[in-house]
Amino acid sequence: MSVRERLDEIREIGRDELRGGYSRHLFDQAEVQLRDWFRSSAEKVGLSTEVDGNGNLWAWWGSPGPGTIATGSHLDSVPGGGTYDGPLGIASAFEAVALLQAQGWVPSRPVAICAFAEEEGSRFGMPCLGSRLLVGEIDPQAALVRSDSDGTTLESAWRREELDVSRLGADPKRLAWLSAFVELHVEQGLDLEQRGLPLAVASAILSHGRWRVSIHGEGNHAGTTPMRDRRDPVVAASAAVLAVRRVALEGESAARATVGRLAVTPNGTNVVASRVDAWLDIRGASDQDVRDQLAATLKLIGECVAAEGCSLDVNEESFSPLVTFHDELTSRVAHILGGVPSIPTGAGHDAGILAPHLPSAMIFVRNPTGVSHSPGETARHVDCETGARGLAEVLKRLAGEETS
Ligand code: HGY
Ligand code: MN
Ligand code: MN
């Protein structure tokens, strides 16, 4: 097979006819089909599979246990996401195992392929949910009460999948099995395209957080409410979005700030809204830069809200500190790949969640458009196959040594 053929197997799963691209969210019909694809891909190369207490899928080459060299990524997407963000890492991992088996190679320590649950946080609003639960970064009780846009709680979603909610949470025994984790991912940027190279390793992940900003006004009739008598949260939110951008533009060069999601209540054409929820995504070169940017942004948002006679409440939904990847492992992976560059990324990844707990590294595959979180995401077949061959070589070198 090839990476391309593996991705073609899921090409029709979760297509979003409205947005374009794919919408595959934790335990929805599409993501469950992708979980079946993961299991059948594992079966084809003789790997056993299991779901851990946090909804993460594992495929095992050898018996689960200490000394494991793990690879993998995620199956879920953002709404209207691209073909490669997540599934490329999974398809490449199975392709790498198939290439190694075709060579007659057998690992001298366990090799695992993992699909982490809800990396995008698109259903329950907690990015890297599965990996953060695994390492103990998320309180399982806080996770269980989260609800999706239909009001379904994570707990009921778990029970519907016949998963044991009492197993949710830190899994130190499983985490201790992992000697290293290497995630292959499509690059979400143009660095490799500009360098004319197919692969890179990751040096760092920007610090980033998400906040839900709720603006409360006074719902009323669009036709009978004089303009001067209004407390319109949509007007306040519009001014706030411009303020968000202004602060980021005036910030340090790595500063990013986005409001990509708005929910207007009641969302009626002939209604002055009563409430607007806006989700704020802020990223920066350091945790302090993000906190400073957030403070400056919320100050301006507060002024916009007050000017419209509205009120404001802000809820931090997640915060992922700056990640610097494990120097020794990253240098080794770069060397095995033939001396590839090491580049930072503004995108979060499960490898970043694991990085403070065990040697973690990332392999990026060139993306000619640099676009991601959009149907425009691309990768060349030849680069995808190069990535899988490189990952195979990395697994061979890392899992070929006897456990110390
Ligand atoms: O949002 C991110 O950076 C990642 O794609 N979840
Ligand atoms: Mn993503
Ligand atoms: Mn991703």
Side-chain angles (χ1 to χ4, degrees):
M1 277 193 95
S2 67
V3 175
R4 165 58 45 197
E5 288 165 326
R6 292 175 189 276
L7 290 173
D8 283 348
E9 290 177 329
I10 58 172
R11 189 181 45 211
E12 296 309 320
I13 297 176
R15 273 198 186 285
D16 189 320
E17 301 306 332
L18 176 70
R19 299 180 178 94
Y22 295 94
S23 291
R24 300 152 166 174
H25 305 318
L26 184 63
F27 298 142
D28 71 4
Q29 187 188 12
E31 200 252 10
V32 168
Q33 285 179 300
L34 291 182
R35 285 173 175 256
D36 293 341
W37 169 70
F38 179 99
R39 290 187 185 93
S40 65
S41 301
E43 215 173 293
K44 285 174 192 163
V45 285
L47 273 56
S48 60
T49 58
E50 55 157 341
V51 182
D52 69 14
N54 294 307
N56 304 310
L57 258 174
W58 296 78
W60 288 97
W61 191 3
S63 309
T68 294
I69 302 299
T71 183
S73 191
H74 58 96
L75 295 168
D76 67 313
S77 74
V78 295
T83 302
Y84 302 94
D85 179 354
L88 178 64
I90 305 289
S92 302
F94 283 113
E95 182 62 14
V97 167
L99 289 170
L100 291 170
Q101 289 182 350
Q103 295 168 18
W105 180 83
V106 177
S108 48
R109 50 204 302 182
V111 170
I113 298 174
C114 185
F116 287 105
E118 176 90 330
E119 189 275 341
E120 299 292 1
S122 297
R123 181 172 180 188
F124 292 106
M126 290 180 147
C128 295
L129 176 72
S131 54
R132 288 167 73 205
L133 280 166
L134 168 68
V135 301
E137 217 183 276
I138 289 182
D139 167 16
Q141 296 315 312
L144 285 170
V145 298
R146 298 286 297 197
S147 58
D148 65 13
S149 52
D150 297 334
T152 304
T153 63
L154 188 141
E155 179 170 359
S156 43
W158 237 247
R159 292 187 189 285
R160 198 170 299 158
E161 293 303 313
E162 294 173 6
L163 290 173
D164 177 355
V165 293
S166 68
R167 291 181 61 210
L168 211 66
D171 188 343
K173 183 178 157 214
R174 183 178 295 269
L175 193 60
W177 288 346
L178 307 183
S179 292
F181 178 70
V182 181
E183 178 170 2
L184 183 143
H185 203 283
V186 65
E187 186 196 347
Q188 294 160 304
L190 280 169
D191 198 314
L192 282 172
E193 183 66 8
Q194 286 158 359
R195 292 173 189 251
L197 293 172
L199 302 179
V201 290
S203 56
I205 296 177
L206 288 185
S207 173
H208 60 285
R210 295 183 186 186
W211 291 266
R212 193 193 69 235
V213 175
S214 302
I215 302 173
H216 307 271
E218 182 179 55
N220 212 326
H221 192 298
T224 58
T225 313
M227 292 309 289
R228 297 196 182 291
D229 295 350
R230 295 181 179 206
R231 294 190 295 117
D232 186 343
V234 173
V235 174
S238 307
V241 169
L242 293 175
V244 165
R245 186 180 64 164
R246 192 161 73 242
V247 173
L249 285 172
E250 290 164 3
E252 35 96 22
S253 62
R256 311 271 195 287
T258 312
V259 176
R261 180 183 166 202
L262 287 165
V264 179
T265 303
N267 211 27
T269 305
N270 56 350
V271 178
V272 178
S274 55
R275 170 177 172 156
V276 171
D277 290 293
W279 279 264
L280 177 56
D281 179 311
I282 291 184
R283 313 207 182 193
S286 74
D287 300 355
Q288 193 55 52
D289 283 347
V290 171
R291 293 288 180 197
D292 292 347
Q293 190 179 332
L294 174 71
T297 301
L298 291 181
K299 179 173 177 300
L300 286 183
I301 290 178
E303 291 166 9
C304 299
V305 168
E308 292 305 318
C310 295
S311 63
L312 171 70
D313 64 66
V314 180
N315 173 52
E316 180 166 297
E317 294 213 327
S318 71
F319 187 83
S320 303
L322 174 76
V323 170
T324 305
F325 281 104
H326 190 270
D327 264 349
E328 189 195 327
L329 177 63
T330 294
S331 313
R332 190 159 178 218
V333 170
H335 175 72
I336 294 169
L337 296 177
V340 300
S342 172
I343 61 177
T345 179
H349 299 282
D350 294 303
I353 301 302
L354 296 182
H357 302 274
L358 59 114
S360 294
M362 291 195 74
I363 300 173
F364 289 136
V365 172
R366 173 168 41 189
N367 172 345
T369 59
V371 169
S372 188
H373 284 189
S374 158
E377 189 179 74
T378 55
R380 295 188 181 94
H381 302 199
V382 62
D383 290 344
C384 293
E385 306 313 327
T386 303
R389 283 198 305 275
L391 181 61
E393 198 50 37
V394 167
L395 294 177
K396 190 174 188 178
R397 302 280 276 277
L398 296 182
E401 301 145 352
E402 292 301 329
T403 44
S404 46

